[in-house]
Amino acid sequence: GFLAMDEGMAEGLASQPQLKVWQTWTGRHTFFCDGRFMVGPDYGVSMFAGGLTTGLSVAFWVLVCPRLPGAVYCTVVGVALYLLAISLLVITATSDPGILPRSPSVDDAESNANLNTTRIVEVNGVTIPLKWCATCRIWRPPRASHCAECNVCIDRFDHHCPWMGQCIGRRNYRWFFGFVVSVCVLCLYTAALSAVAFARALSHVPTAIRLPTDRLGQAVEELPAAGVTMLAPGLILLCVMPLLCYHCSLTCRNTTTSEDVKGTFSESANPFDASCAKNCDEALCAARLPSRLHLRSHASEELGGPMILRSGGGSEREAEMRPPDEVALPLRTAAAGDPGKGV
């Protein structure tokens, strides 16, 4: 009787649909297409940014480009720049920025004990303390941080971008950088050609109208779209160009926005900073590490585990998913206030 009951319970459990990782997600992301695409909590702002870009671009193609010499070429180039910017926006907003999996197997007692423990790694002779995340229950690797907006830990966390609705981290920083560059080029191109079209419209104003304000008013009446597609991209460019310059500086110094704002290396040397060329290659050109997420796997199969990064020659490499004590790093651990010992 008991055997039949156990078999019946086993069959009942087996017949229940198994939830996938994305269906049990504890972050604040939204998933589409059975977990194939993920967006951050502010994806509505990304849709607004994409809609604004689309609206200005379509107005430029339809209403301004026909007034320019070489209208077809001007339109084709504008469409290409728009598609590049929108593609990079979508890729950045839907990519895994480098989320570190949680470790659900860690209980409250172990988590509280780790809060009172200090772990240290050395990178190029510089000592860096590791931080325990009580939410994700992992030892965060160097340069990782917990994003309060997304409620996940991000490897090489740069910042949470509200316009992307997504965190910017190790795996999507290059796409974010490319998006900022493409937006600057698109705005500059649209504003410059709109200014040319507006100047042509201004030159067609009858010479009998002599007051500058009247002439401008006449040109605006003839081609109002040029005024909009000149001023709006110009204002966007004034906001985005300083951001591009700032991230160029960060990339050349191998520093993240979070580290720069917090002054992480203000009192010590940045151990990740190599030459400008190597820093740019690491941030923008080096092969991307594979995602640690398996969103479409069954949740019961994903055990999770602490993630630690190796360090070799100043550049970090991904370690296997295994307990922190087994990671091949110069690691120290000690109770808070104790000098610690090598592990």
Side-chain angles (χ1 to χ4, degrees):
F2 289 108
L3 181 60
M5 184 181 298
D6 291 341
E7 291 178 353
M9 292 177 61
E11 291 178 359
L13 291 174
S15 63
Q16 293 180 356
Q18 290 185 327
L19 296 178
K20 296 183 178 180
V21 172
W22 71 268
Q23 293 173 312
T24 61
W25 190 252
T26 52
R28 298 193 178 98
H29 298 82
T30 302
F31 298 90
F32 300 96
C33 300
D34 194 26
R36 289 179 175 85
F37 300 99
M38 63 182 297
V39 293
D42 307 321
Y43 69 92
V45 183
S46 303
M47 296 177 65
F48 170 78
L52 178 63
T53 305
T54 302
L56 290 173
S57 296
V58 171
F60 173 69
W61 305 332
V62 175
L63 302 175
V64 178
C65 285
R67 301 293 190 95
L68 293 168
V72 174
Y73 297 105
C74 294
T75 304
V76 169
V77 174
V79 170
L81 291 175
Y82 163 79
L83 291 176
L84 176 62
I86 287 295
S87 298
L88 290 171
L89 185 151
V90 172
I91 293 173
T92 306
T94 59
S95 294
D96 166 26
I99 297 175
L100 302 175
R102 299 193 177 196
S103 183
S105 59
V106 177
D107 56 23
D108 292 340
E110 184 177 354
S111 178
N112 293 332
N114 285 334
L115 283 174
N116 298 319
T117 303
T118 301
R119 292 197 172 190
I120 298 172
V121 296
E122 284 188 5
V123 179
N124 291 335
V126 178
T127 299
I128 300 178
L130 299 182
K131 295 183 180 180
W132 173 258
C133 179
T135 302
C136 299
R137 303 201 170 187
I138 60 171
W139 286 101
R140 291 200 294 260
R143 317 192 85 176
S145 184
H146 187 90
C147 175
E149 296 289 335
C150 296
N151 196 32
V152 291
C153 281
I154 306 295
D155 184 20
R156 198 185 184 275
F157 177 76
D158 191 86
H159 69 287
H160 180 88
C161 179
W163 292 102
M164 292 293 173
Q166 179 70 284
C167 286
I168 306 302
R170 181 182 296 277
R171 298 193 71 254
N172 66 349
Y173 181 80
R174 67 189 62 192
W175 308 127
F176 168 78
F177 190 92
F179 170 73
V180 175
V181 172
S182 65
V183 167
C184 288
V185 175
L186 177 62
C187 288
L188 184 61
Y189 179 81
T190 304
L193 290 191
S194 297
V196 171
F198 190 80
R200 288 169 62 86
L202 189 61
S203 67
H204 294 157
V205 175
T207 55
I209 303 176
R210 300 198 175 190
L211 288 177
T213 54
D214 293 342
R215 295 180 64 84
L216 284 174
Q218 188 72 20
V220 169
E221 289 181 7
E222 181 183 348
L223 192 57
V228 175
T229 57
M230 177 176 58
L231 294 178
L235 292 175
I236 295 173
L237 186 64
L238 288 177
C239 298
V240 179
M241 184 59 76
L243 179 66
L244 174 60
C245 295
Y246 177 64
H247 277 279
C248 286
S249 172
L250 292 178
T251 301
C252 292
R253 293 182 286 124
N254 203 340
T255 304
T256 66
T257 301
S258 177
E259 292 167 348
D260 190 56
V261 171
K262 294 178 181 177
T264 304
F265 302 116
S266 59
E267 298 180 358
S268 61
N270 181 357
F272 306 100
D273 184 12
S275 66
C276 179
K278 290 183 178 179
N279 292 340
C280 293
D281 177 73
E282 179 182 337
L284 305 176
C285 303
R288 287 200 310 161
L289 296 176
S291 174
R292 297 180 175 96
L293 304 180
H294 305 283
L295 297 172
R296 303 184 69 242
S297 300
H298 293 300
S300 58
E301 299 173 359
E302 294 296 313
L303 301 179
M307 303 301 299
I308 299 292
L309 298 181
R310 296 181 186 274
S311 175
S315 61
E316 297 158 278
R317 295 291 182 264
E318 185 177 24
E320 300 292 335
M321 184 181 292
R322 50 188 172 180
D325 291 342
E326 298 179 10
V327 175
L329 270 176
L331 180 66
R332 295 187 182 186
T333 180
D338 293 341
K341 59 182 180 180
V343 174

